[in-house]
Amino acid sequence: MNKDVLIICQSNYQGNTQKIADAMAGKLDCCCINSEEAMKENLSSYKVIGLGSGIYHGQHHPKLFNLVRNINSN
């Protein structure tokens, strides 16, 4: 398992974004978690963090924005 890379994905409705994120995680041999799980992780241990979200009303999912704000404040 690649412990240097993490994918954080917020996917709702049909789960298409999650399918893509899972496929990417499979190729990179890394974990793919959602934003709630990411809030509990020590993200500083990763060298690369990929963020993904479906587009809802023209924007990324609000939970992903909340995560990024939380990361920036820490």
Side-chain angles (χ1 to χ4, degrees), residues 7-12 14-24 32 51-56:
I7 296 176
I8 302 171
C9 175
Q10 196 63 44
S11 178
N12 292 347
Q14 297 176 350
N16 292 324
T17 303
Q18 187 68 52
K19 291 174 190 172
I20 293 170
D22 289 339
M24 292 171 65
C32 180
L51 302 173
S53 167
I55 303 299
Y56 307 98

Side-chain angles (χ1 to χ4, degrees), residues 35-46:
S35 55
E36 290 90 0
E37 294 167 318
M39 294 288 266
K40 301 172 189 171
E41 287 282 322
N42 177 10
L43 299 178
S44 65
S45 65
Y46 295 96

